Amino acid sequence: AVMEKNVFQHPDVRALGAHVTFLQLDMTANEAEHTAYLQAAGLFGPPAMLFFRADGREHQSLRVQGELNAQQFAGRVRALL
């Protein structure tokens, strides 16, 4: 809830939404498919942020395991663009 409130609603981040698509996976139920996805992606758990290029390949150097503030998140999105 912290990221949704303090990062994704920040004006700088919202402005970037015109250039990228933000997707959020809700893994709070911790079901088998959630565990399978985390293992396949090499993640130990949420929160994690993965950034993908237009061709579908992950820009792995931008990957974050943990939380970011709005400026850090916006910087990663700008680096992707």
Side-chain angles (χ1 to χ4, degrees):
V2 172
M3 294 286 295
E4 289 85 356
K5 182 177 166 185
N6 298 329
V7 176
F8 302 133
Q9 296 304 317
H10 191 279
D12 292 346
V13 173
R14 291 179 61 90
L16 291 168
H19 306 286
V20 297
T21 300
F22 297 117
L23 300 175
Q24 182 177 2
L25 303 178
D26 182 356
M27 297 193 171
T28 53
N30 198 26
E31 296 179 7
E33 60 264 16
H34 301 152
T35 303
Y37 179 81
L38 291 171
Q39 288 176 348
L43 300 167
F44 61 81
M49 285 170 262
L50 286 65
F51 298 84
F52 293 88
R53 297 178 177 97
D55 64 5
R57 291 183 303 129
E58 182 186 358
H59 195 305
Q60 289 193 344
S61 68
L62 298 177
R63 181 186 276 213
V64 175
Q65 186 85 51
E67 294 182 356
L68 297 174
N69 65 35
Q71 291 75 24
Q72 292 168 320
F73 182 77
R76 289 192 182 297
V77 173
R78 285 187 200 98
L80 182 67
L81 297 174

